[in-house]
Amino acid sequence: MAILPILQYPDERLHKVAKKVDKIDDAIRKLVRDMAETMYSAPGVGLAATQVDKHIRLVVLDVSDMHDDLKVFINPELVSSQGEKVNEEGCLSVPGIYENVSRAERVSVRALDEHGKPFTVEAEGLLAVCIQHEIDHLNGRVFVEHLSHLKQTRIRAKLKKHKREIL
Ligand code: K1U
Ligand code: ZN
């Protein structure tokens, strides 16, 4: 297994739209294992392939307390959504920034697992927030792009300053 480098906002590659996975083979299953290791070591509760510069529709998630419930979503599709809720979000590609974002409160998502088996998840709470956040990544959208332009400018300035300070 391997820990993969995570692209950092405002890297342009975070805006690429990911392509559908057409064949679920051992190379995809290795990427799933590497992404899971990368997510757990970050630590985070989700990771989209886009964030590790692989532009295919693949997401790993684990919102369990014991970090023992890995969920793999290949070619995830939002089937339906209900309600609206504001939640605080973070992102492994935007370190140190936590902001409120409004999203659907409950979602139904259809996907394939790492063996190509179709499944549907009815999600609420952190799982619902996280799935929507990760599907945004696959569509080239970073969570800060839900915020006002003023906030986005401030966040970019803050990240630039932090980068200067650590170099
Ligand atoms: O996509 C990502 O960058 C992962 C992101 C997922 C996410 C979390 C919370 C709301 C929306 C989306 C993260 O995992 S950020 C890190 C984080 O929230 C966390 C880290 C350790 C323990 C618990 C949460
Ligand atoms: Zn993210």
Side-chain angles (χ1 to χ4, degrees), residues 1 81 91 113 135-136 141 144 146 154 158 165-166:
M1 289 208 285
S81 59
C91 180
D113 70 11
I135 291 177
D136 266 1
R141 191 171 192 195
V144 295
H146 285 269
R154 285 184 178 156
K158 192 172 167 182
E165 282 168 1
I166 59 168

Side-chain angles (χ1 to χ4, degrees), residues 43-46 51 88-93 126 129-130 133-134 137:
V45 293
Q51 292 175 277
E88 188 173 78
E89 296 192 17
C91 180
L92 299 176
S93 294
L126 180 58
V129 175
C130 208
H133 177 113
E134 303 308 336
H137 274 305

Side-chain angles (χ1 to χ4, degrees), residues 8-87:
Q8 301 294 296
Y9 178 82
D11 192 308
E12 273 306 308
R13 290 170 289 180
L14 287 168
H15 295 123
K16 285 192 185 179
V17 178
K19 293 201 164 66
K20 267 191 153 184
V21 175
D22 51 21
K23 187 167 162 234
I24 301 173
D25 55 13
D26 286 347
I28 293 289
R29 284 184 281 273
K30 173 164 177 3
L31 180 58
V32 166
R33 288 196 297 276
D34 289 347
M35 282 176 57
E37 190 179 17
T38 304
M39 174 188 74
Y40 286 125
S41 81
V45 293
L47 191 68
T50 305
Q51 292 175 277
V52 292
D53 205 17
K54 307 282 183 210
H55 301 281
I56 56 169
R57 302 190 82 80
L58 164 60
V59 163
V60 294
L61 285 176
D62 188 346
V63 299
S64 69
D65 290 340
M66 303 301 289
H67 314 295
D68 60 356
D69 188 20
L70 181 70
K71 290 183 168 56
V72 178
F73 294 79
I74 297 174
N75 299 337
E77 283 175 52
L78 197 61
V79 180
S80 63
S81 59
Q82 284 175 297
E84 199 182 318
K85 196 160 181 249
V86 175
N87 296 279

